[in-house]
Amino acid sequence: MSDNSSYLKDELYEKVKTDSEVFNFLQDGSLDGIWYWDIEKPLNEWLSPRFKDLFGYRDEEIPNTSEWWQKNINPAHLKLVMDNFEEHCKNPNHRYDQIVCYRHKDGSDVWVRCRGLAIRDENGKPVRMLGAHTDVTELIKTQNELVKTMKSIQILNDKIREFVAIVSHDLRAPIGNILSLIEVLEDDLTTNNVKEVLPTIREVSEHSLEMVNKLLDLTSIESGKVKLRFEKIYLDELIKGAIKHVKVVARNKGIKINVKIQENTEVEVDVFRMRQALINLITNSIKFSNPGSFINIDCSRKKKEVQISVIDFGIGIPEKIMDSLFDKSKHVSREGTNHEKGTGYGLPLVLEILQAHGAKIRVKSKEGLGSTFYFNLDCK
């Protein structure tokens, strides 16, 4: 079937060659600038007015040379276009086509798709280069925003997974405490026993509910998004409150918790979070202590500081994992007698809570002899 419209194509070619208005319309209406380069005299290059306007300049503000664009293109992209240029000159089948970034007159970035075609003499030698620009700045901006959005979604997903792990970890102790207390009631359901145990069950349950509510923002402590609620509390009250939530677990393992503290030592902390840090430290010591042993909580005051130490005499920490203890991206394992599996979030949470209070957690340990976790707080 013959192409009856082929004469229109030929006619348009002729109009482009003979009528400058047709040429101007095509280059202004369908392109964001064209350029024509003398390869034999590489300093000479014609840059169309639309080419210059794209970068915020009037026609007379940019000379028609190759010098301007080579100075204003991203340096890494200059290498890209020159490498492609050389390959295209050697091999016509190698397309000269890339997306590059220029600097606008106002300092902003302008992204263009730059395409070109080498014009060759009768011997196939490149003598001229014709090129065209297409503005893709908005496309690149949209693409970058999409990438940022995808990264934000990934971060959110990571936070959700992290939150689930944190809740799983921190609810384990109080739920275990409640179950143990229920077992006590089941074994000996006397009136006095009920009166003694039920208030503890209620208190631990209320604490668990409080934990669920406040853990919703706990994962943001590290980024500084959560505002801590500081209040004054006596240190012995803070520590006794933490011990209350682990005492049944400790008792079931036959572990005694000893506390040494100077009376009337007052600290100013976010009570819920600092109590949670202490619960995690004590629970960690219980987990890696042998049945029938004991844990010491030593609070040594020096002037306006108090050092709080949680000391156990359990299996200790292998030196090879010491540097990874507080890294929540690594779930380190301590194998040993009565070793219990955890989520790996307990100690990293302690680190985040203490850092939010301006405190630093330290640890000393020897395999087979136990571990000491300690930190300092300002006191009154």
Side-chain angles (χ1 to χ4, degrees):
M1 183 176 178
S2 62
D3 185 356
N4 294 326
S5 63
S6 61
Y7 75 94
L8 293 174
K9 177 180 176 182
D10 295 338
E11 182 178 302
L12 178 59
Y13 281 169
E14 189 62 30
K15 289 289 185 182
V16 171
K17 288 190 291 183
T18 60
D19 190 336
S20 61
E21 287 298 317
V22 173
F23 173 79
N24 288 338
F25 173 80
L26 287 175
Q27 72 112 350
D28 290 339
S30 60
L31 298 171
D32 294 307
I34 62 174
W35 45 272
Y36 192 52
W37 193 12
D38 186 344
I39 297 176
E40 295 180 311
K41 298 176 182 178
L43 182 61
N44 298 336
E45 185 171 1
W46 176 72
L47 310 173
S48 74
R50 179 71 186 99
F51 178 105
K52 300 171 185 178
D53 179 66
L54 180 61
F55 305 116
Y57 296 90
R58 296 190 303 273
D59 187 19
E60 65 273 15
E61 289 185 284
I62 296 179
N64 285 305
T65 69
S66 59
E67 185 178 13
W68 182 89
W69 71 263
Q70 292 182 9
K71 284 184 178 180
N72 285 272
I73 194 173
N74 181 296
H77 295 171
L78 175 60
K79 184 178 186 309
L80 171 67
V81 299
M82 295 310 294
D83 287 347
N84 274 344
F85 166 71
E86 291 178 6
E87 284 299 318
H88 178 67
C89 287
K90 293 176 185 176
N91 177 13
N93 293 323
H94 180 88
R95 297 177 62 189
Y96 183 86
D97 188 349
Q98 59 271 305
I99 293 177
V100 293
C101 183
Y102 282 88
R103 184 172 61 250
H104 192 276
K105 187 178 182 179
D106 65 10
S108 62
D109 290 338
V110 180
W111 290 85
V112 297
R113 181 184 180 188
C114 179
R115 289 167 287 175
L117 175 69
I119 298 172
R120 304 169 188 271
D121 62 16
E122 62 276 8
N123 298 316
K125 176 186 175 184
V127 294
R128 301 286 188 271
M129 188 79 169
L130 174 63
H133 277 182
T134 304
D135 185 5
V136 293
T137 303
E138 290 305 315
L139 178 63
I140 294 296
K141 285 181 180 178
T142 302
Q143 179 180 313
N144 289 341
E145 287 301 318
L146 181 60
V147 170
K148 287 180 183 178
T149 300
M150 295 302 293
K151 286 182 179 178
S152 297
I153 292 172
Q154 181 61 49
I155 291 171
L156 179 60
N157 286 336
D158 290 343
K159 284 290 183 183
I160 291 172
R161 285 192 291 269
E162 182 178 317
F163 171 72
V164 171
I166 289 170
V167 172
S168 170
H169 175 276
D170 278 3
L171 284 179
R172 183 173 300 185
I175 289 175
N177 213 347
I178 292 170
L179 292 174
S180 296
L181 290 167
I182 290 173
E183 288 177 3
V184 170
L185 290 179
E186 289 175 340
D187 292 341
D188 186 9
L189 196 58
T190 65
T191 302
N192 290 334
N193 207 4
V194 171
K195 287 182 178 180
E196 178 185 346
V197 173
L198 280 182
T200 305
I201 291 178
R202 175 180 290 278
E203 187 174 346
V204 174
S205 299
E206 288 174 349
H207 174 72
S208 300
L209 181 59
E210 179 188 22
M211 184 186 303
V212 171
N213 290 331
K214 291 194 175 183
L215 276 174
L216 287 171
D217 63 8
L218 185 59
T219 55
S220 299
I221 285 179
E222 190 177 23
S223 62
K225 293 179 182 178
V226 173
K227 186 176 181 181
L228 300 181
R229 297 176 183 176
F230 287 91
E231 54 185 299
K232 294 177 182 178
I233 185 172
Y234 285 112
L235 190 55
D236 60 339
E237 181 184 344
L238 180 68
I239 291 175
K240 287 176 182 176
I243 292 174
K244 186 177 292 185
H245 293 280
V246 300
K247 66 179 182 180
V248 176
V249 176
R251 185 177 66 194
N252 287 347
K253 201 170 180 179
I255 293 174
K256 184 179 179 181
I257 300 176
N258 305 312
V259 180
K260 179 183 177 183
I261 187 170
Q262 183 176 330
E263 290 185 358
N264 300 324
T265 299
E266 194 176 46
V267 293
E268 191 169 357
V269 295
D270 183 308
V271 174
F272 170 79
R273 293 186 172 89
M274 187 57 68
R275 183 174 61 196
Q276 201 59 39
L278 288 168
I279 290 172
N280 280 332
L281 283 176
I282 299 169
T283 301
N284 183 75
S285 290
I286 293 172
K287 184 188 301 183
F288 296 106
S289 291
N290 297 322
S293 61
F294 57 91
I295 292 170
N296 292 338
I297 301 177
D298 185 12
C299 303
S300 305
R301 181 170 179 171
K302 292 184 179 179
K303 296 183 179 179
K304 293 186 177 182
E305 267 196 343
V306 59
Q307 180 173 290
I308 302 167
S309 304
V310 178
I311 308 162
D312 68 65
F313 301 89
I315 66 173
I317 305 168
E319 187 174 348
K320 65 181 179 181
I321 67 169
M322 188 74 79
D323 293 337
S324 304
L325 282 177
F326 301 98
D327 188 345
K328 60 187 171 187
S329 68
K330 300 176 182 177
H331 186 169
V332 298
S333 175
R334 283 197 274 166
E335 301 299 337
T337 307
N338 296 297
H339 168 66
E340 301 171 28
K341 292 183 178 179
T343 63
Y345 278 90
L347 292 179
L349 268 178
V350 172
L351 175 67
E352 290 186 10
I353 292 171
L354 292 180
Q355 284 181 338
H357 283 78
K360 184 177 180 181
I361 184 74
R362 296 178 174 85
V363 57
K364 295 186 294 187
S365 184
K366 195 166 185 180
E367 281 193 80
L369 298 179
S371 306
T372 299
F373 291 84
Y374 60 101
F375 59 94
N376 287 16
L377 290 177
D378 293 335
C379 66
K380 296 180 181 180

